[in-house]
Amino acid sequence: MKSTFYSVGRALRWSVTLSRKFIYVVPWFTLLAVISSIFTQFFMLAGFLLPLKVILLLGSESVPSYFPSSFQVFGRDGLVLILSLASVCFYLAHLLTGKVVDFASDRACKTLLSRSKKLTIFENQQEIASKGYARYSQNLATIGFVSLCLLVLAWLYYEVAIVIVAYVMSCVILSCVVSAFSNSFYYKLSSDLGAVSKLLGSCGFLLSFSYIVLDHLLGSPSGILVSVVALLLTRQTFGRLAGFAKDIQGVYEQKAQLRALFFHGHTFSQEPASRNKGIWHLVDPMARDAWVEEVLVDILDTDAFKAEIEWLDIGLPDIICFYVDVTTGSARLQYVMKLFNNNRSAWAKHEATLLSSQSSLPTVPLVKLSLVEGVHCHVFEVTGLKQCGKKETTKQSDSFRMMLMSTKPDSSIISLYERSHPMLWQRIEKQSIIHMRYLLDKLANQEDIDCFLFKLNDMKEKLRCLPLAINTLDIRPGMMWKNSRGEHFLVNWTKWVVEPIGAKISVPFLSEPEFFDSAKDVSSKRSDAKGVEPEQIKFSALMSEFETRLQRGRYVEADALISKILLHLNDD
């Protein structure tokens, strides 16, 4: 419970610190923004309430008795007109005060940034500062608005005000207590506070509504008009409180950025969020030994084993690998266990989709897909395999990709990929090539570029007609393994793609004798690739490299490929 209250205390202390800064530097703009925000919310509430009154009037033949007696003099039609005009006026006032809030926030941010005297620290600096200040002023306005709502309710219908206050206090206390004893609830509260507070706010509104209904059925309530107003104020109160919790969390999550922007003596320094949660608590030796043992028991169906664990470097951020050497009875087995951090769950699912759907891949055998305390864990068996060194991995990467092209992609994999990602022939845009021509001007052969643009549609069609192949964008040292026969396998498939056969092969490899042998081998092993010549594969590789260079802004290098591409196109 201590850590929960400590987290809440930190957020509140940061809010107070921010308040002092804003009130000291821009007191009048802050006051204007807060007061305007409160009026904006009340004008919106009035603009919403009055049309309901108009509808009630239209459904009656005269002014209902639950309206104040002073309204009777206007008559039904006159009162309808007055309330309709008032609704329009309140709505316009809501828009006007909203503009005042925007003006005050913008001027306050500019003043704060000029006083802090900082260089540009990160992208969208002005936008981040404006949103941070707007959230802060909105929080103060919410406090004022909710307080006024409760005062009005206490005057009109004090029992409902008591229900609201008691419910909110109960929710705060229970949330702190439950999160102190339940890690899952604590993480849910931390990661999705907006959804939790919205749910609790909806439950609070239903509780208040139920009380009003029961009071009308069993008690001696105030008039129907008071109940309608109380219900609207209750709805607005819980809605604003739910937004308040989310905004407080949002301001606190931007603490490092806002402190660097608004405080003169602070620089921007933020530890990556992934270092504080996700997989990193599972790296602790005691925690690591515990979850590795659980996974092994699941795989081996016995707990009679001894495991030696060591970290394995595959060069990917937020993916932790462990090499596990297991001795059980007379057998000795080796595994690679990959833990994917929360921000890499898409990679985990991408890899799992391929390895569970595509057969005959040159992959280290995947033996288990698991979840360890909510994070993805993939287990590969490397018994009898040896990890390739950096030099061998670099040397074999293109040969491995060519070997991978010998595997025909499953139709389901192709269908999934084409529905999710643009293909190579769709990504090469004419406009990007025109921009390149403008930039290079006399540095480029303009005739070649014009010819390339003229034949671009034909080239795209040639790419589209080539057989598709699975490929991997990322082969780093530590990812490749080999058996005693010298066959190579991959232990990482997080960045696989489906491209025309030949794509992603490096340009230098196209001149190697091994390329032509591999191309012929691909053509002979795949029934859908029979008749595909090495020149067609080379053309695909050159177009893929051209697209990569163009996307990365390496225009001189992209232009250098155009003549080679045209040459292979003409040869074809």
Side-chain angles (χ1 to χ4, degrees), residues 353-361 404-419 423 467-471 496-499 526 528:
T353 299
L354 178 68
L355 297 182
S356 60
S357 304
Q358 178 69 43
S359 59
S360 305
L361 282 173
L404 188 55
M405 291 177 193
S406 301
T407 302
K408 182 180 178 181
D410 188 84
S411 58
S412 63
I413 287 292
I414 294 176
S415 179
L416 280 171
Y417 192 87
E418 286 183 328
R419 287 199 300 266
M423 305 302 290
L468 295 175
I470 295 170
N471 216 322
W496 61 271
V497 294
V498 175
E499 297 283 24
R526 286 183 57 171
D528 63 336

Side-chain angles (χ1 to χ4, degrees), residues 90-151:
F90 277 122
Y91 181 70
L92 293 175
H94 164 68
L95 295 179
L96 179 62
T97 50
K99 293 293 183 183
V100 173
V101 172
D102 293 339
F103 167 77
S105 297
D106 183 64
R107 292 297 299 272
C109 282
K110 288 180 179 178
T111 303
L112 287 163
L113 290 175
S114 64
R115 287 285 295 272
S116 63
K117 298 180 180 179
K118 300 290 181 72
L119 296 171
T120 300
I121 305 172
F122 32 72
E123 294 292 332
N124 303 323
Q125 183 168 292
Q126 179 68 38
E127 183 180 353
I128 291 171
S130 297
K131 286 184 177 179
Y133 182 84
R135 268 182 166 173
Y136 164 80
S137 59
Q138 182 67 34
N139 287 340
L140 291 182
T142 297
I143 294 172
F145 178 79
V146 169
S147 300
L148 288 173
C149 283
L150 290 174
L151 287 174

Side-chain angles (χ1 to χ4, degrees), residues 373-391:
E373 295 191 21
V375 299
H376 293 274
C377 177
H378 294 179
V379 184
F380 297 83
E381 184 175 351
V382 292
T383 304
L385 301 180
K386 181 182 178 182
Q387 191 178 27
C388 299
K390 180 179 179 180
K391 186 176 181 181

